[in-house]
Amino acid sequence: MKKYFIPCLMLAASLMCMFVFVSCGGDDKDDSGGAPISQTEFVDQYFTVENGIFRGQAMPESTTSESIGTVEANDRALAGGFNYVTVTSDQQLSRFLIGVDGMDGYMEATVSSASTRADGTYTYIVPISYGVNFSKSIVMIIKAVTVSGDVTQGYRVSITFVESMEGELTINLTFDHAKDLDLHLLTPSGKHIYWGDRTWTTEGADGSTISFGLDHDSNAACRIDNLNNENIVIPRGAIEPGIYQVYLELYQNCDPSIGTDLNWKLVVRYNGRNLTNMLTPRTPGENSMAFTDGATTVEGSNPVSGCYPYNGTTGTQTYVMDFEVASVAGTRGFTPVLKSIYKPTMVDYMKMKDREEGIR
């Protein structure tokens, strides 16, 4: 089942993706011309861009023959997930225009920052969030406006929609390179949902069997799937009231030469609403997956983001979120505990991979 996140870019919502070099090239044709769409519909059915503004009209036509540059982007997507598009250009850019082929309406995002490479090129990260009702493959059109005001040629990225489980509670992790980064969830009653115990069942109020757990285990044992998403989904009848803990583990760094730092982003939604992160701040270097006795929880951000160094150590864990589901209608039989303790232990990775091969 298995096995078969220089300084981290801690942008407010940053990360990149197995950013395959998308093979679609520039296009000098008008990229719009479809039916108009409202901002609510566009954000819900397609995507939004961090700090972006929706324009309910056709994307501006290109005014120069120059391309946008080199584009890296995840070409597969889950509903409610993310995509962190990286653009490398030899010219300074001021804005990005991102739309859907055949659709009048696009997102406009002002460049917030850029890093300069030794060769003099500029690197930009454009954080994209897919709508919770994103449900079909699309061709994304990306243009840029230079500091001189020119609109570059459009870059076409084919995005394949990937089916996922449905449920009221979702924990979605996206990362930007071909690494084996794992998502772990500890429930209030002590269930540990992760690649090694990914499918759980419980009896619903009507006597039916409800399945829940880890929906996607990406790049398991470095068998690259180009999805770079992990997703835990729990339907209403299996949700436990109480406090949950989320942590990540760089199970295997795969090829350390791939990309730069491994950027990641995680969001938790309950009934479509982002839950408050109650994670207790910890001392630098502390890697406990347990609540600290007497600790005071504080409100934090959701989504949360971070990164592992490009040469990050295999097995490195990061505790990223505590969240609470206060009460759930239609659940039964759960006995939440005050705290669930997870203690990292030494792992024989070769035996673990052999075991997973047998399961698969």
Side-chain angles (χ1 to χ4, degrees):
M1 169 152 112
K2 194 173 199 49
K3 342 261 132 263
Y4 145 74
F5 150 122
I6 329 174
C8 294
L9 299 173
M10 296 299 290
L11 303 178
S14 101
L15 326 94
M16 302 181 309
C17 99
M18 172 166 173
F19 278 143
V20 278
F21 278 83
V22 184
S23 59
C24 308
D27 190 343
D28 58 2
K29 297 182 296 183
D30 183 2
D31 302 313
S32 56
I37 189 172
S38 70
Q39 176 175 346
T40 300
E41 292 172 321
F42 190 91
V43 170
D44 181 67
Q45 298 175 23
Y46 297 105
F47 54 82
T48 186
V49 179
E50 182 180 330
N51 299 321
I53 299 173
F54 176 75
R55 306 294 188 189
Q57 58 200 40
M59 187 179 293
E61 294 186 4
S62 302
T63 60
T64 176
S65 60
E66 295 291 329
S67 72
I68 191 174
T70 300
V71 178
E72 298 175 87
N74 193 339
D75 62 355
R76 304 177 73 199
L78 300 176
F82 307 99
N83 199 345
Y84 299 88
V85 176
T86 301
V87 177
T88 303
S89 175
D90 59 4
Q91 54 189 329
Q92 285 189 282
L93 307 176
S94 64
R95 287 174 291 154
F96 289 100
L97 314 176
I98 306 176
V100 177
D101 190 24
M103 180 69 61
D104 276 356
Y106 64 95
M107 298 298 302
E108 178 179 328
T110 301
V111 170
S112 57
S113 63
S115 59
T116 307
R117 296 184 174 183
D119 61 2
T121 59
Y122 301 89
T123 301
Y124 305 87
I125 296 177
V126 188
I128 294 175
S129 301
Y130 293 106
V132 294
N133 288 316
F134 177 72
S135 60
K136 61 182 180 181
S137 299
I138 62 172
V139 175
M140 185 181 293
I141 306 296
I142 305 174
K143 292 184 178 183
V145 180
T146 67
V147 292
S148 62
D150 282 322
V151 179
T152 69
Q153 291 293 306
Y155 199 94
R156 305 167 67 85
V157 184
S158 295
I159 306 295
T160 301
F161 169 69
V162 177
E163 294 278 357
S164 57
M165 292 173 57
E166 295 183 357
E168 282 70 25
L169 180 59
T170 60
I171 301 93
N172 177 263
L173 168 69
T174 306
F175 45 100
D176 66 357
H177 293 305
K179 312 292 185 180
D180 187 3
L181 182 63
D182 285 329
L183 174 63
H184 293 246
L185 178 69
L186 301 176
T187 74
S189 65
K191 295 181 179 67
H192 183 187
I193 302 173
Y194 72 118
W195 63 264
D197 210 349
R198 64 186 296 172
T199 303
W200 295 73
T201 60
T202 190
E203 184 179 346
D206 60 356
S208 62
T209 298
I210 301 174
S211 298
F212 60 99
L214 180 65
D215 187 20
H216 291 282
D217 179 20
S218 196
N219 301 332
C222 293
R223 292 188 175 134
I224 307 305
D225 59 17
N226 295 334
L227 178 60
N228 299 334
N229 269 267
E230 301 231 340
N231 202 44
I232 291 176
V233 180
I234 306 180
R236 181 181 302 278
I239 297 173
E240 305 170 15
I243 295 176
Y244 294 72
Q245 297 169 274
V246 184
Y247 69 95
L248 312 179
E249 180 176 13
L250 184 58
Y251 181 89
Q252 194 166 348
N253 198 10
C254 303
D255 183 352
S257 68
I258 295 176
T260 53
D261 295 331
L262 177 62
N263 298 285
W264 56 264
K265 187 172 183 180
L266 180 137
V267 64
V268 175
R269 296 186 179 95
Y270 178 49
N271 288 329
R273 176 176 59 89
N274 288 16
L275 292 178
T276 298
N277 183 7
M278 301 167 57
L279 179 63
T280 302
R282 302 186 181 276
T283 58
E286 184 179 355
N287 195 34
S288 172
M289 301 302 153
F291 290 111
T292 302
D293 291 341
T296 301
T297 57
V298 296
E299 292 188 359
S301 60
N302 180 15
V304 294
S305 60
C307 71
Y308 286 90
Y310 77 96
N311 58 350
T313 304
T314 291
T316 304
Q317 297 161 335
T318 302
Y319 183 25
V320 297
M321 185 177 287
D322 294 341
F323 65 89
E324 181 177 15
V325 177
S327 62
V328 186
T331 59
R332 70 179 192 180
F334 293 116
T335 306
V337 295
L338 293 179
K339 57 184 180 181
S340 52
I341 305 299
Y342 172 77
K343 296 181 179 179
T345 56
M346 296 298 293
V347 176
D348 186 328
Y349 288 99
M350 292 307 297
K351 288 183 178 179
M352 191 175 289
K353 284 198 287 185
D354 290 343
R355 171 181 175 274
E356 288 181 270
E357 287 300 309
I359 294 173
R360 286 186 181 274

